[in-house]
Amino acid sequence: MGKAGQARQVFRSYGKNSKVKKVTGTEKSVPKTCKLKKGLVPGSVLILLAGRFRGRRAVFLKQLASGLLLVTGPYAVNGVPLRRVNQRMCIGTSTKVDLKGASFGSVDDAYFAREKKAAGKKGEAMFAAGAEKKEMSAEKKAGQKTLDEAVAKGLSADVRSYLKARFSLSSKMYPHELRF
């Protein structure tokens, strides 16, 4: 007769049963920022492939310390705000935008950090806090506006309409045959 359930497995190791000891006191290596995709330079127009703004075109501003890309629509042109994007989730195009006069040096990863929540009672806070909606601070709105003015100033009419248009594939359009 066979066993009805799963048979108990016993694995034995012969020889020395030594555990690997972790070396203490070593510092963690800080990850290096990854290389940029070929053809990406500040001012390039990107097509976003994922997230809320998928299919939208955005202007690449710089690479942040975390390796993410800083992009903007500009917001006044196509509604894409200042955001961080993973470079795997975008396609670089050959279109370039003039960024002279745009100062985005103050924007870094800390700019996008969320505010810490104050700790409260578990039961009450779960239902009451769900109704609140966080608004963007006036400081960030002003920063978005000043940055967008400098970027939008260098846009010609045809580039402006190109940024407004959404990207999508239709039938008989194969992405590996397209020239971006």
Side-chain angles (χ1 to χ4, degrees):
M1 289 284 215
K3 294 187 171 108
Q6 182 177 349
R8 182 169 173 240
Q9 300 292 322
V10 179
F11 298 104
R12 293 192 176 140
S13 62
Y14 299 100
K16 296 181 181 177
N17 289 335
S18 61
K19 292 184 179 178
V20 178
K21 293 181 182 177
K22 290 185 180 179
V23 179
T24 57
T26 56
E27 295 179 16
K28 287 186 177 180
S29 61
V30 178
K32 291 183 270 184
T33 58
C34 49
K35 286 195 293 186
L36 274 176
K37 274 185 178 180
K38 193 176 82 175
L40 281 187
V41 292
S44 296
V45 174
L46 306 176
I47 299 170
L48 304 179
L49 299 176
R52 182 174 169 208
F53 298 100
R54 64 186 162 275
R56 300 265 181 186
R57 294 180 171 99
V59 179
F60 168 58
L61 301 176
K62 71 174 184 177
Q63 186 177 25
L64 299 169
S66 63
L68 298 174
L69 309 179
L70 181 67
V71 299
T72 185
Y75 187 76
V77 175
N78 62 3
V80 179
L82 200 63
R83 8 182 344 111
R84 296 180 296 181
V85 178
N86 190 331
Q87 58 182 330
R88 286 180 152 229
M89 302 298 167
C90 61
I91 299 173
T93 64
S94 58
T95 310
K96 306 281 187 279
V97 171
D98 184 30
L99 291 180
K100 287 193 173 89
S103 60
F104 41 82
S106 63
V107 181
D108 56 351
D109 286 312
Y111 178 86
F112 295 98
R114 292 188 178 170
E115 296 172 7
K116 299 277 185 185
K117 289 183 182 177
K121 288 188 177 180
K122 280 189 176 177
E124 299 169 13
M126 189 183 338
F127 300 108
E132 295 176 16
K133 183 153 182 162
K134 294 281 182 183
E135 287 291 321
M136 206 162 100
S137 69
E139 176 188 323
K140 287 191 178 182
K141 283 182 183 177
Q144 173 82 49
K145 194 169 268 190
T146 55
L147 194 85
D148 280 356
E149 283 174 8
V151 174
K153 183 175 61 178
L155 298 176
S156 61
D158 59 336
V159 173
R160 193 178 282 266
S161 62
Y162 175 69
L163 286 171
K164 280 183 185 178
R166 298 205 50 177
F167 173 80
S168 63
L169 294 172
S170 56
S171 63
K172 305 290 183 193
M173 250 175 106
Y174 304 110
H176 58 279
E177 292 177 354
L178 294 178
R179 206 42 166 224
F180 295 104

